[in-house]
Amino acid sequence: VRGWVNPPHVTPHYWTAAEMLLLQMDMLAYLDESVAEPTLVVGAGVPTQWLDRPLSVRGVSTRIGQVDWSWKDGVMDVVVRGRRCKARLGPAFAPGTQVRLRTLNP
């Protein structure tokens, strides 16, 4: 037998914990490569209730580089340290929401 036979507490398996963390990171920013031109998706897992307050995310690693974003006063500011790409917002954001995208070369 490996590990606890009768554990005093429940913790997720390392594989499960890693999958949960990767999913949570994808909820913040990920690269959608299923479309003709790869597109950065920002805030796909952000619930609508959170949009009435400022939000800020820093250093999310994606296939195109690190992504920072901040949401304030109805405007999304996105900074990508890596390759240039298109960006779109998750479903909680209203259509036509202003996105200011900047690309910095690392």
Side-chain angles (χ1 to χ4, degrees):
V1 175
R2 297 173 105 185
W4 296 88
V5 175
N6 190 8
H9 45 69
V10 177
T11 57
H13 184 276
Y14 295 119
W15 186 286
T16 304
E19 287 178 334
M20 287 171 42
L21 178 59
L22 290 170
L23 174 61
Q24 289 171 343
M25 291 186 66
D26 277 354
M27 292 170 66
L28 298 174
Y30 72 92
L31 188 65
D32 182 1
E33 297 180 279
S34 68
V35 292
E37 184 177 350
T39 302
L40 179 67
V41 181
V42 176
V46 172
T48 307
Q49 306 89 289
W50 292 5
L51 299 181
D52 61 349
R53 297 185 185 104
L55 295 170
S56 180
V57 174
R58 304 248 181 261
V60 177
S61 291
T62 68
R63 292 176 55 88
I64 58 165
Q66 283 198 335
V67 175
D68 301 338
W69 61 261
S70 62
W71 168 255
K72 187 175 179 185
D73 299 328
V75 177
M76 178 64 79
D77 286 303
V78 181
V79 176
V80 177
R81 280 184 238 92
R83 291 190 347 237
R84 187 174 301 274
C85 69
K86 284 185 172 183
R88 68 178 166 88
L89 299 177
F93 297 89
T97 298
Q98 183 181 0
V99 178
R100 295 189 294 218
L101 177 63
R102 253 185 339 152
T103 303
L104 305 175
N105 292 326

